[in-house]
Every structure is written in C-alpha cells, then in structure tokens.
Amino acid sequence: MKDVEIIKARNVLSSRARTNLTKRLRVAAYCRVSTDSEDQLNSYKSQVQHYTDLIKSKSEWDLAGIYADESITGTQVTKREDFQRLINDCMNGDVDMIITKSISRFARNTLDTLKYVRMLKEKGIAVFFEEENINTLTMDGELLLVILSS
C-alpha cells in the first residue's frame, strides 16, 4: 500500500471569503398606523423607536431605513408613499430584509401581501412579520402567510 500524504489546512481566508463572512444584512423596518387618533400616533412613534433600537442592537444588521406611513389605510398600497419607496429601494438592491409589526401593518389585502412578498422573495429579500413570527424566506413562511393574511 502506498503512503498517504497528509496535507494540513491553512487557517487563512482569501479576501473574498473574508468579505462574505462579514457581510451584514441591510434591514429596513416598515411602520404604519391607519388613523390619526392620539393612541394610534403614539403607536406609530413607538413602532419607529422600537425598530430603530432593534435593528441597531443586532451586530449582524445595518439599519437600511425606517419607512413609515402615518394615518393611511392599509387597503390601498398605492397611496402609501413610504411603502412604495421601500419596495423601490428593495428592487434597487438597497435592502436585504424588511421587518414589520404584523401582516396587517404590511397590507390588509391578501393579494397585495402575496404579490409584494413574492416579488421580494424572487430578489432574495425576506419580510419578517414580528407578531406572527413569520420569515417569508423559510419553507413554511409563505404557507403561514397565506393562512394568516386571509
């Protein structure tokens, strides 16, 4: 039998591999309240503060922005300027993940919810719905989303 030569691995990463290891997710938050009552406006400010603090507290995340629509109904996404700006920024490659309070904060219409989630998923962009604990890039994420959004 021939001798086997053992080649020890070097513990050196190429610059390309090092870049991939340190890549941080660019995370954006989407906040929305549908009325301008004082309670809702306080909720709006609370959501903005909560997500700013949450994203900044994660060492693997970079704050890509807080997108917020105040006193706007969720049934018509075309009227929500910051939502549209968020989607455009995602399509332009500026955001890796969106985090939002709940499915109803993202969109009230099941078809709109699925349309935008699928569009983002095709680009590899996750949407995380905090209350429902759904990440759209997981295997069961879209199934849960369909069930809960209807």
Side-chain angles (χ1 to χ4, degrees):
M1 181 175 219
K2 292 184 178 180
D3 289 335
V4 175
E5 180 183 352
I6 298 173
I7 302 172
K8 292 192 175 191
R10 291 182 299 161
N11 221 1
V12 179
L13 291 176
S14 68
S15 61
R16 183 176 171 183
R18 250 183 270 118
T19 302
N20 289 338
L21 283 177
T22 59
K23 185 176 183 212
R24 295 161 42 116
L25 279 181
R26 295 165 299 168
V27 180
Y30 179 69
C31 308
R32 183 185 63 79
V33 293
S34 56
T35 66
D36 56 3
S37 72
E38 187 146 346
D39 287 345
Q40 288 291 308
L41 292 177
N42 287 336
S43 170
Y44 170 80
K45 290 174 186 168
S46 295
Q47 286 179 60
V48 170
Q49 189 62 53
H50 168 73
Y51 289 116
T52 301
D53 294 344
L54 176 67
I55 293 168
K56 286 183 175 183
S57 75
K58 304 281 186 182
S59 62
E60 65 275 15
W61 290 359
D62 280 329
L63 178 62
I66 303 292
Y67 299 77
D69 287 310
E70 190 176 352
S71 305
I72 296 174
T73 180
T75 55
Q76 295 178 331
V77 292
T78 55
K79 291 186 177 184
R80 295 189 281 147
E81 289 180 16
D82 251 21
F83 182 82
Q84 292 301 322
R85 191 170 62 86
L86 170 60
I87 298 300
N88 286 335
D89 287 351
C90 289
M91 294 297 111
N92 290 334
D94 299 329
V95 176
D96 300 313
M97 184 169 103
I98 299 169
I99 187 167
T100 190
K101 182 178 177 181
S102 66
I103 296 168
S104 66
R105 297 295 92 197
F106 191 73
R108 288 280 174 112
N109 179 315
T110 304
L111 294 176
D112 281 340
T113 301
L114 293 175
K115 171 188 167 186
Y116 286 102
V117 163
R118 287 176 178 160
M119 183 189 316
L120 294 165
K121 193 174 181 177
E122 284 180 17
K123 288 275 201 181
I125 300 166
V127 181
F128 181 73
F129 300 98
E130 193 174 34
E131 282 184 3
E132 296 87 357
N133 195 29
I134 295 174
N135 181 332
T136 58
L137 291 185
T138 62
M139 292 292 284
D140 59 350
E142 188 167 336
L143 175 63
L144 286 170
L145 184 62
V146 170
I147 293 167
L148 294 174
S149 66
S150 59

